[in-house]
Amino acid sequence: MMGQEKVQVLEQAILGIAAQEAQTILDEAKAKADSIRRQAQNDAQSESERIRQDAQQTAERNIAQAIAKAQLEAQMLRLQRREQVLARVFDKARAQLVTIPQRADYVDLVRRLIGEAATYLGGNNFIVHADATTAQLLDDGFLADLAQKLNVRLERGAPLEAGIGIILSTPDGHRRYDNTLETRLTRIQDDVRTTVYKILTGEAV
């Protein structure tokens, strides 16, 4: 009987040790599982944060692009509106050009037109082409007097088919300067357009 009791005690001891070992294994497995779970949660949070940051950066880029696009569109609209206003103003001015030859000081203006053209071309021998109304002013006395003042030689040329004012050319026709009122107005319009553009874009004028 004593032998059987010893066996039972031994069995109980072995079972106790096995139970402890099993619990230790279970505890370690649970701890490892918890660690893996926490790591997974941290990774998920990190991934979520990365996704959130990427989304925020993308949103900020989209907002910046939208603002830049809106600013560009607004600037282009301002340019377009200003150009339309300039066009209307110069269209009205262009319509009034036909009345200029009727002014009392038109003869002085013709002198300036020829003088400017001669200065631009350089040289001392020119042909003056004018519209029908202006050509009436270009008699021999007028041309001789102006040629003396400018120290050049002036001759009447073929009449202009279009435009009001004069076109000055060299005798060989290789060089010419259009100083009609229409062309002068166009040059002014181009100059004004450039100035307006610089103002709207913030460039120094």
Side-chain angles (χ1 to χ4, degrees), residues 4-52:
Q4 187 175 357
E5 291 178 354
K6 291 181 179 179
V7 171
Q8 291 177 348
V9 170
L10 181 58
E11 289 177 349
Q12 291 175 355
I14 293 173
L15 290 174
I17 293 172
Q20 290 179 355
E21 291 179 348
Q23 187 62 44
T24 299
I25 293 172
L26 289 175
D27 291 342
E28 291 177 352
K30 183 180 179 180
K32 186 173 183 180
D34 290 341
S35 176
I36 293 173
R37 189 178 298 109
R38 285 193 300 271
Q39 184 63 42
Q41 290 176 347
N42 292 335
D43 291 344
Q45 290 176 353
S46 297
E47 183 66 14
S48 298
E49 179 64 18
R50 185 187 64 78
I51 294 174
R52 187 190 66 79

Side-chain angles (χ1 to χ4, degrees), residues 7-184:
V7 171
Q8 291 177 348
V9 170
L10 181 58
E11 289 177 349
Q12 291 175 355
I14 293 173
L15 290 174
I17 293 172
Q20 290 179 355
E21 291 179 348
Q23 187 62 44
T24 299
I25 293 172
L26 289 175
D27 291 342
E28 291 177 352
K30 183 180 179 180
K32 186 173 183 180
D34 290 341
S35 176
I36 293 173
R37 189 178 298 109
R38 285 193 300 271
Q39 184 63 42
Q41 290 176 347
N42 292 335
D43 291 344
Q45 290 176 353
S46 297
E47 183 66 14
S48 298
E49 179 64 18
R50 185 187 64 78
I51 294 174
R52 187 190 66 79
Q53 291 179 353
D54 289 346
Q56 182 177 355
Q57 292 175 356
T58 300
E60 290 175 351
R61 284 196 301 269
N62 290 339
I63 291 172
Q65 291 173 357
I67 292 175
K69 182 179 179 181
Q71 290 175 338
L72 179 60
E73 290 176 349
Q75 183 182 50
M76 295 305 296
L77 183 60
R78 288 196 299 270
L79 285 171
Q80 183 180 8
R81 294 290 182 266
R82 185 61 61 90
E83 183 66 23
Q84 290 173 349
V85 171
L86 287 175
R88 287 197 297 270
V89 170
F90 279 91
D91 284 345
K92 292 180 180 179
R94 195 168 282 107
Q96 296 298 316
L97 292 180
V98 294
T99 66
I100 293 180
Q102 302 171 10
R103 290 168 32 176
D105 62 345
Y106 184 62
V107 64
D108 294 328
L109 175 59
V110 173
R111 290 191 182 94
R112 290 200 300 272
L113 295 178
I114 296 174
E116 288 177 2
T119 299
Y120 179 86
L121 289 176
N124 55 14
N125 195 2
F126 305 105
I127 308 297
V128 184
H129 307 273
D131 63 280
T133 302
T134 304
Q136 295 176 7
L137 302 175
L138 305 181
D139 55 29
D140 292 340
F142 176 91
L143 290 177
D145 179 66
L146 183 58
Q148 183 178 6
K149 291 179 180 178
L150 298 176
N151 194 27
V152 297
R153 184 171 182 272
L154 298 174
E155 296 182 22
R156 279 189 301 272
L160 297 180
E161 296 181 359
I164 300 171
I166 65 97
I167 292 179
L168 207 65
S169 69
T170 55
D172 57 14
H174 290 167
R175 300 173 61 221
R176 64 197 299 271
Y177 186 79
D178 187 338
N179 215 15
T180 58
L181 301 183
E182 291 83 357
T183 300
R184 288 171 62 84

